[in-house]
Amino acid sequence: MYEWSQSCLTMACDLNPVAIILVTSGTRGNRLLFRYPYCQEQETKPKPKKKTNCGQNPYALKIAENLQDVKKEKSSITSFVKDGVLTNFSNNTLANILIVKSDLCGKKFSVEIDDVRFVGFPISLQHLSRDSGLQGSQSSSSRQHFILSVNVVFVLRVRMPESVVSCYQELAQQLAVAIAHEEKRCQYLNREAKIMVLAFEEASVSGDNDMVSPLRQIIDRSRLGGELKSVFDSLAQSGQVLFYLNQWVEINFCLPHKIHAMHTPGRVIQLESIYRYLSSVRPYHGILLTKTEKEVLNFLPLDASPCLIRLIKLTTPIKNLKTLALETDLSITQIYQLVCHMIYWGFAMLIYPLCQSNLYVLSASANTAAHSDLSKEFSLHFPGLHLHEEMSRFSFPSPMHDACDIMAYPSPGLLDRLNQVVVWMLQHRLLNQLHTYVNLTTARKKEPSSLTSHSMSSTLSSNSSVQVVEESYLSVLMEDPRASTLDRTASMSDIASVNSEESCGHSAANYASQLSKSPSQEANSDCSVVAEETKAQWRVQDTLLNELKPQIKAAILRCPASRNPDDLHLFAKLCPYFNGKHHLEEMMFYENLRRTLLNALLDKFKEVLIFCSHEDPATSLL
Amino acid sequence: MNPAKMIKCIFLAEFHHELGPIISQQVPEEYVSKEMFDAIQNFIITKPELQNRLITMTSFGNKFVGCPISIDNDKYKRNALIFNVCFTFDEDTNTAHYGPVVKKLADYMTQLEIELEFLSKPENVSKIPEFLQEVLDGLNSNGSCNINMAESCTVHLKLATTIHEPIAVGDHDVPILTVPKDVVMRHQWDLTTQQMLHYIDGMSHVMKIAAEADVELNLVKANLQNLLYYKFLKLVPIFQYSNVYCVTRQINKLMEHTHLQQECLKFVAKSERNLPEFRDVFMLYCQFTPGTTVKDICTRQSNPHNLRVDERKLVQFGVMKGLMRRMHQYPVVLPGQPSTSRVQPILKWLDGRYNFDQICCETGLSHHELQEKIDADSSIVTCWK
């Protein structure tokens, strides 16, 4: 158990970078201007290294190398990362390897050396220096120093998932491009570089081989140094970076892997699963802000879209996205984009809007340890309540508050507090909502004996007649291109086409056209002996259920409720949902049904349905 | 892992005493152009501090994996021979398992140079590309190569799959074979594994297997880890009628894939001649909800027994295929509340980090006894998750 949690911890911090480095090359060679974090050991580290490399007497007799020496040397190679800090690299080495030839500038830079990986984005500033060089020659300052290229590099551990690496690469690119832009605008890099170089020179003048104090000074004196330090710190802390470089260029980055694993340390989340999660947003979902409205609004950049601000202000956990679209006067596609954006950034999470009929259960990844930070935070929020008591309440699927709770807490204030507890637990991903899914199957072969003899005979007759009708009608229907009226699943899975009213109308029109067509086919049917109204019923049954397998169709028709045309109509309309992928709430939303009506209908056909409850993939990020 | 044509090119780079870093040999020729090499050469022929390190450089849509080596000796023009045998891949290739191969090849080259002057002798110039071609072809087609270089030196290279940390096997885990036993037995296992294999029936837990096979517990665990590595095994929680399971959304797989349905029906049937109906099996799976024990399901009117289903196998199949998962019970003592003397001895297990299985295994209490103790104490709450 202990080992497990230990490995989780290492996994979680694995997403953090090891270091951030700024290097430049200029007319005075390659220079490392800044690295963070630094460790105390670096003061002593370069010394023994120098001894082995150049401390040897050049006149000493060289003993021929043999294989054992090579092996010895190899075994002495140590890891570059010690206690989470980059070691064994002198500043000069770093400067030399991180400055690349001009051919590689403006491209992504990635080098792995043993157990560390450097990702960066080198940018050439040569065109700038040429311009300023022309001016410089006019002012005839021959001592002018030009920066020819700059590279911002993140040092990562080598075992990092590829998608995390590309995120860091992106951030390095943002930073490098911003620095280059600021250099062009107001010589920002030149100015800051002077401060940094000065700090290093002061340290070298004072004589001791101190590598830490200049870096510490740089953080104090140079704005760029401070900015890069804060980038590193906020990456390690929250995985989000948002600031204005030189108070001018916006740097805007988040590491979704980290943000979404905040409450479940140790879980490695793939970028693909986040995208898959985002693609399952539906208009009946709602959003829940993970922070307070004020915090979210404060975090937004100055030029954030007013639509986003409006959405954040209007959102409550009981509204679904369609309502929000109406209230914010935005199109649903626009709402989707905003919501996906907020979820990606970890400001919001997708939920089914809160209501009393929702069932919640404790999430499998919830941390139940007694003295966790989570339980402390909980008791701060809700004095007098125990997190574990609340968690045990949701050990079994339960609604936001039970009926007996209402009896126990007659005052509305307490009830309100219970709802807030649920919201808090949802925000911390302690709860999952259970949904009921419906599967359509054949009925049991052995008929329940409760059926009356009358219905038995009718089942038999309808059973045999179904066969007959099938043969005659199916051939006609097969040729009918509109026979696949009920196949609405494809349109629903498409995130863009969510206009349910439209598609409903479409399918209804198709029903009508089929019904109006059927009398002509009736003439071809050879079962003319049967009464007129039974025939009409078969027609309805046949046209409505023509999609299904014959045995399932027969089983449905054996249910007593199938003789009620209204029920059968509704059932046929809902059939495409009965594949275990659509929960009751979704059916209610798209088909505009009330829960009582739906439940009553499902109850009538329960012979052929199997209910199954699990969480909605859209609202539980796994 | 398919090694097919992963390596695009192998080249030998050297530090020439007059020209500086150059590509001296390359198979196939002209894959890495001079311009490309010039741009990245400081990662291939490196400064001393990066020598003997595995370096992977990504640029120009390629990945270059190499290990720069320097052999100091007075006989060389600059008192040292600096070289690097580099593998070139496409940019999106995962090169993690090629790293050890590159390093080993670098070691071989060092040895060959020291013993036979393989790299520096002028008459060997034609041999080197032949050798590199052989390595390239061998690794690309078979994932391995054995090249006889000298009387006492054969270059053995093999791509190994990356090895993960072995999965921890607990005392109360139940191993279950995922392939038929006769298929497993066909491999030549060691004697202990053979002895132990007879007792893996998907019902008995690790401790019981150890006792029955008369093998030391840790040996059993090590053997099981070995079988787990080869994916012949899966570990499932021990079966008890007090267990609670719940279906996951993977249950839809059972509805969609007919071959899984057939497999399931054969697996869960009480007798092979009389297979249960799929509808019944599916319905039974859907009855596993939070709060419903296996016992509850077995005492219902349409219980597994009536439906020709073996409930143990039903659960096994569900857990193995991920159709459902076990829900564990975590007892927690509420802070600041007095607890009775009955639970004092087990108090340290009641901090919410240990589930019933673990507590029972550690304390030797039966599930029932533990349940009674905890139910009797009002200061303890249980969380199922």
Side-chain angles (χ1 to χ4, degrees):
Chain A
M1 199 67 195
Y2 175 75
E3 275 171 34
W4 180 79
S5 59
Q6 196 72 358
S7 70
C8 278
L9 275 177
T10 51
M11 288 289 262
C13 66
D14 251 358
L15 292 180
N16 296 343
V18 177
I20 183 169
I21 297 173
L22 177 73
V23 285
T24 56
S25 82
T27 44
R28 289 180 200 160
N30 301 341
R31 281 214 82 132
L32 178 135
L33 289 183
F34 184 65
R35 67 192 273 185
Y36 182 82
Y38 39 79
C39 69
Q40 301 300 326
E41 256 178 295
Q42 276 166 12
E43 317 169 27
T44 53
K45 209 74 207 178
K47 278 180 191 166
K49 202 149 195 202
K50 251 177 206 161
K51 213 182 269 174
T52 53
N53 286 338
C54 40
Q56 271 174 351
N57 185 349
Y59 303 105
L61 184 68
K62 270 196 181 152
I63 304 157
E65 293 275 344
N66 59 32
L67 199 67
Q68 262 151 9
D69 272 1
V70 175
K71 280 209 174 121
K72 211 187 288 165
E73 201 179 313
K74 200 175 75 178
S75 64
S76 72
I77 289 176
T78 48
S79 165
F80 285 120
V81 186
K82 198 171 176 189
D83 302 331
V85 184
L86 187 70
T87 54
N88 283 344
F89 271 113
S90 72
N91 287 355
N92 284 337
T93 315
L94 284 174
N96 283 332
I97 61 169
L98 299 180
I99 284 299
V100 294
K101 299 266 159 67
S102 55
D103 309 24
L104 295 179
C105 282
K107 287 176 192 155
K108 284 172 180 169
F109 169 85
S110 164
V111 168
E112 287 165 43
I113 299 175
D114 273 5
D115 61 345
V116 287
R117 180 172 192 152
F118 300 87
V119 293
F121 197 83
I123 281 194
S124 164
L125 302 174
Q126 236 144 9
H127 57 287
L128 292 181
S129 60
R130 212 175 294 130
D131 294 350
S132 55
L134 286 173
Q135 292 162 10
S137 66
Q138 281 155 14
S139 61
S140 73
S141 61
S142 57
R143 282 173 62 233
Q144 184 88 30
H145 165 62
F146 301 125
I147 294 173
L148 297 176
S149 73
V150 60
N151 195 0
V152 181
V153 178
F154 284 101
V155 185
L156 311 172
R157 286 177 182 83
V158 99
R159 284 272 172 97
M160 203 171 262
E162 213 50 47
S163 58
V164 183
V165 173
S166 61
C167 280
Y168 278 120
Q169 192 125 44
E170 220 166 83
L171 177 59
Q173 183 171 355
Q174 274 195 42
L175 287 168
V177 169
I179 289 172
H181 176 268
E182 283 305 280
E183 172 67 10
K184 192 177 174 187
R185 192 176 67 92
C186 58
Q187 303 230 309
Y188 180 56
L189 180 62
N190 223 328
R191 207 172 58 224
E192 297 296 315
K194 270 179 198 150
I195 301 174
M196 294 176 181
V197 171
L198 194 68
F200 278 112
E201 276 169 2
E202 273 174 20
S204 64
V205 163
S206 65
D208 53 338
N209 209 349
D210 186 4
M211 307 302 283
V212 177
S213 69
L215 293 170
R216 204 173 283 144
Q217 279 182 355
I218 287 169
I219 292 170
D220 291 340
R221 290 193 207 159
S222 151
R223 173 182 281 167
L224 184 58
E227 280 166 346
L228 293 178
K229 175 188 180 290
S230 73
V231 165
F232 183 88
D233 287 344
S234 53
L235 277 175
Q237 199 200 346
S238 63
Q240 291 178 337
V241 178
L242 180 65
F243 75 103
Y244 291 84
L245 189 97
N246 195 23
Q247 294 185 324
W248 192 262
V249 186
E250 185 191 338
I251 302 289
N252 194 328
F253 171 83
C254 81
L255 188 64
H257 307 75
K258 188 166 167 119
I259 293 170
H260 293 280
M262 264 320 195
H263 295 298
T264 50
R267 166 111 43 90
V268 179
I269 290 180
Q270 295 296 314
L271 209 52
E272 298 78 49
S273 73
I274 295 172
Y275 288 138
R276 204 167 46 228
Y277 170 75
L278 290 182
S279 69
S280 51
V281 181
R282 297 283 179 273
Y284 53 81
H285 285 137
I287 49 172
L288 178 63
L289 298 180
T290 48
K291 294 169 185 156
T292 60
E293 186 186 307
K294 215 174 161 192
E295 278 176 307
V296 174
L297 288 176
N298 280 343
F299 198 86
L300 293 182
L302 290 173
D303 57 347
S305 153
C307 304
L308 186 63
I309 295 168
R310 204 159 54 193
L311 175 67
I312 292 170
K313 282 188 174 156
L314 279 170
T315 190
T316 63
I318 53 167
K319 287 179 192 164
N320 65 24
L321 297 184
K322 200 180 162 198
T323 322
L324 282 173
L326 288 174
E327 286 185 5
T328 53
D329 202 18
L330 297 169
S331 73
I332 189 87
T333 3
Q334 218 171 344
I335 289 282
Y336 280 153
Q337 282 165 353
L338 294 174
V339 164
C340 289
H341 186 66
M342 281 165 68
I343 292 170
Y344 184 87
W345 275 79
F347 289 141
M349 52 194 290
L350 211 58
I351 54 164
Y352 184 79
L354 300 182
C355 63
Q356 186 50 37
S357 54
N358 287 356
L359 287 180
Y360 296 98
V361 73
L362 197 60
S363 151
S365 55
N367 181 9
T368 47
H371 304 287
S372 59
D373 297 339
L374 208 63
S375 62
K376 276 175 208 142
E377 202 187 322
F378 183 84
S379 26
L380 275 181
H381 268 86
F382 304 99
L385 288 180
H386 279 300
L387 178 61
H388 291 92
E389 231 166 339
E390 298 305 315
M391 288 213 278
S392 74
R393 202 155 63 87
F394 289 103
S395 284
F396 310 111
S398 30
M400 300 219 309
H401 42 77
D402 297 327
C404 53
D405 282 338
I406 303 173
M407 306 289 268
Y409 306 106
S411 76
L414 270 166
L415 214 58
D416 214 38
R417 209 161 138 211
L418 280 179
N419 292 347
Q420 278 170 15
V421 168
V422 173
V423 169
W424 190 90
M425 288 170 85
L426 279 171
Q427 279 173 338
H428 290 79
R429 297 189 193 274
L430 295 176
L431 294 183
N432 276 337
Q433 189 182 349
L434 285 183
H435 291 274
T436 304
Y437 292 80
V438 187
N439 285 289
L440 185 64
T441 57
T442 53
R444 300 277 267 296
K445 271 185 188 144
K446 286 170 209 145
E447 282 296 319
S449 52
S450 59
L451 274 176
T452 59
S453 60
H454 166 72
S455 61
M456 275 299 264
S457 64
S458 84
T459 8
L460 284 175
S461 67
S462 70
N463 200 358
S464 55
S465 55
V466 162
Q467 300 283 325
V468 180
V469 177
E470 235 166 44
E471 278 166 26
S472 58
Y473 282 141
L474 276 183
S475 54
V476 184
L477 286 168
M478 293 277 248
E479 292 158 19
D480 186 3
R482 282 168 299 180
S484 58
T485 29
L486 292 174
D487 190 18
R488 278 201 45 226
T489 42
S491 71
M492 273 188 306
S493 60
D494 185 359
I495 189 162
S497 71
V498 279
N499 207 333
S500 66
E501 292 89 342
E502 202 177 292
S503 50
C504 268
H506 172 72
S507 57
N510 269 356
Y511 285 135
S513 72
Q514 283 203 343
L515 284 175
S516 64
K517 208 171 69 155
S518 36
S520 62
Q521 295 164 348
E522 192 199 335
N524 303 334
S525 151
D526 41 11
C527 38
S528 49
V529 273
V530 208
E532 198 63 24
E533 55 180 34
T534 4
K535 265 195 280 177
Q537 201 185 324
W538 291 343
R539 270 201 312 272
V540 172
Q541 289 166 354
D542 198 60
T543 45
L544 289 181
L545 302 170
N546 65 52
E547 287 265 299
L548 304 166
K549 284 184 201 155
Q551 66 264 40
I552 294 182
K553 194 155 105 180
I556 294 170
L557 295 180
R558 242 176 280 145
C559 290
S562 66
R563 264 167 285 127
N564 180 345
D566 291 344
D567 283 346
L568 191 66
H569 256 288
L570 188 55
F571 186 82
K573 199 166 137 193
L574 293 176
C575 264
Y577 295 102
F578 298 153
N579 58 0
K581 288 177 188 154
H582 307 281
H583 46 73
L584 298 187
E585 286 78 13
E586 183 169 345
M587 296 178 209
M588 284 158 54
F589 181 84
Y590 281 118
E591 301 299 334
N592 201 14
L593 287 172
R594 269 183 302 145
R595 191 177 289 271
T596 44
L597 189 64
L598 182 62
N599 280 339
L601 179 83
L602 295 177
D603 195 51
K604 282 179 196 163
F605 286 92
K606 65 170 185 262
E607 292 292 316
V608 287
L609 300 175
I610 295 180
F611 302 98
C612 172
S613 62
H614 51 82
E615 60 272 8
D616 182 358
T619 53
S620 60
L621 183 60
L622 276 176
Chain B
M1 174 194 55
N2 183 14
K5 305 268 178 286
M6 291 267 263
I7 309 172
K8 297 294 169 200
C9 158
I10 300 181
F11 63 85
L12 169 73
E14 277 179 280
F15 190 87
H16 191 269
H17 58 277
E18 281 163 6
L19 302 172
I22 50 158
I23 297 183
S24 56
Q25 302 292 345
Q26 181 173 183
V27 285
E29 277 182 39
E30 293 304 315
Y31 188 86
V32 180
S33 66
K34 181 140 188 358
E35 294 73 42
M36 264 155 94
F37 180 73
D38 283 346
I40 57 162
Q41 47 99 343
N42 57 331
F43 294 99
I44 300 203
I45 300 298
T46 61
K47 297 254 158 37
E49 59 266 27
L50 293 183
Q51 279 163 6
N52 265 327
R53 305 269 190 189
L54 185 72
I55 298 179
T56 308
M57 167 80 195
T58 311
S59 60
F60 300 111
N62 285 315
K63 253 188 189 179
F64 303 93
V65 185
C67 179
I69 299 285
S70 163
I71 300 171
D72 294 345
N73 197 316
D74 288 342
K75 68 183 173 188
Y76 302 119
K77 288 266 164 54
R78 295 215 176 182
N79 290 332
L81 176 75
I82 305 170
F83 70 93
N84 189 348
V85 181
C86 249
F87 287 29
T88 312
F89 302 90
D90 277 342
E91 191 175 20
D92 44 5
T93 317
N94 179 12
T95 56
H97 47 275
Y98 282 94
V101 175
V102 172
K103 270 210 120 155
K104 193 174 176 191
L105 184 60
D107 280 351
Y108 273 125
M109 297 311 270
T110 315
Q111 188 189 356
L112 286 169
E113 171 59 27
I114 290 168
E115 288 175 2
L116 307 165
E117 299 188 322
F118 180 66
L119 295 174
S120 53
K121 246 189 204 166
E123 57 263 37
N124 275 350
V125 169
S126 62
K127 277 193 201 164
I128 297 170
E130 278 170 32
F131 168 73
L132 294 181
Q133 187 68 48
E134 230 172 309
V135 173
L136 178 77
D137 292 344
L139 289 179
N140 267 350
S141 51
N142 307 326
S144 67
C145 64
N146 302 302
I147 304 162
N148 204 353
M149 298 304 295
E151 210 170 304
S152 61
C153 181
T154 309
V155 174
H156 299 283
L157 295 174
K158 186 172 167 48
L159 286 177
T161 44
T162 36
I163 298 166
H164 307 285
E165 279 277 297
I167 304 160
V169 180
D171 290 351
H172 55 270
D173 282 328
V174 176
I176 180 163
L177 293 173
T178 51
V179 270
K181 195 173 266 179
D182 47 317
V183 177
V184 184
M185 290 300 258
R186 228 175 282 155
H187 296 263
Q188 287 194 332
W189 299 108
D190 56 288
L191 291 173
T192 326
T193 309
Q194 285 183 27
Q195 189 178 346
M196 188 195 71
L197 265 177
H198 292 288
Y199 298 95
I200 299 179
D201 55 359
M203 303 287 170
S204 21
H205 56 280
V206 174
M207 211 118 130
K208 193 176 169 194
I209 292 172
E212 282 184 339
D214 196 19
V215 178
E216 208 263 324
L217 182 65
N218 287 321
L219 274 181
V220 172
K221 284 186 183 174
N223 280 332
L224 289 175
Q225 280 180 340
N226 189 32
L227 289 171
L228 273 173
Y229 174 79
Y230 288 109
K231 297 200 171 66
F232 286 139
L233 272 190
K234 271 205 171 157
L235 293 180
V236 293
I238 195 166
F239 180 83
Q240 288 167 309
Y241 282 93
S242 56
N243 282 2
V244 173
Y245 297 87
C246 68
V247 286
T248 66
R249 53 174 184 267
Q250 304 291 330
I251 191 77
N252 284 340
K253 273 202 293 194
L254 192 60
M255 208 59 189
E256 283 159 10
H257 301 296
T258 29
H259 60 92
L260 188 67
Q261 290 176 11
Q262 292 308 319
E263 193 187 341
C264 173
L265 290 185
K266 271 190 205 132
F267 193 93
V268 303
K270 287 185 89 162
S271 89
E272 276 179 32
R273 279 164 296 158
N274 198 0
L275 292 185
E277 264 187 71
F278 173 69
R279 177 194 190 277
D280 296 333
V281 174
F282 190 77
M283 188 199 67
L284 282 173
Y285 273 128
C286 290
Q287 285 181 1
F288 286 100
T289 55
T292 318
T293 60
V294 181
K295 190 177 157 194
D296 292 340
I297 287 170
C298 289
T299 48
R300 280 180 189 165
Q301 200 202 344
S302 58
N303 61 37
H305 181 76
N306 284 350
L307 301 172
R308 304 189 295 268
V309 172
D310 184 339
E311 64 272 9
R312 278 181 172 231
K313 290 189 168 171
L314 183 78
V315 168
Q316 263 178 15
F317 189 85
V319 175
M320 252 169 64
K321 299 286 172 187
L323 308 177
M324 54 189 202
R325 63 178 181 86
R326 169 92 189 271
M327 289 186 79
H328 287 284
Q329 196 175 1
Y330 291 79
V332 192
V333 178
L334 291 178
Q337 294 221 13
S339 50
T340 54
S341 56
R342 284 190 69 198
V343 293
Q344 282 303 331
I346 54 165
L347 207 56
K348 67 167 175 172
W349 307 107
L350 304 182
D351 66 350
R353 289 190 295 147
Y354 301 94
N355 60 36
F356 259 49
D357 277 6
Q358 285 162 332
I359 299 173
C360 288
C361 215
E362 298 283 350
T363 57
L365 288 172
S366 78
H367 185 275
H368 187 69
E369 285 166 345
L370 184 62
Q371 185 78 59
E372 265 186 353
K373 278 191 184 189
I374 281 164
D375 284 348
D377 199 319
S378 62
S379 69
I380 301 172
V381 293
T382 50
C383 301
W384 289 86
K385 68 169 186 184

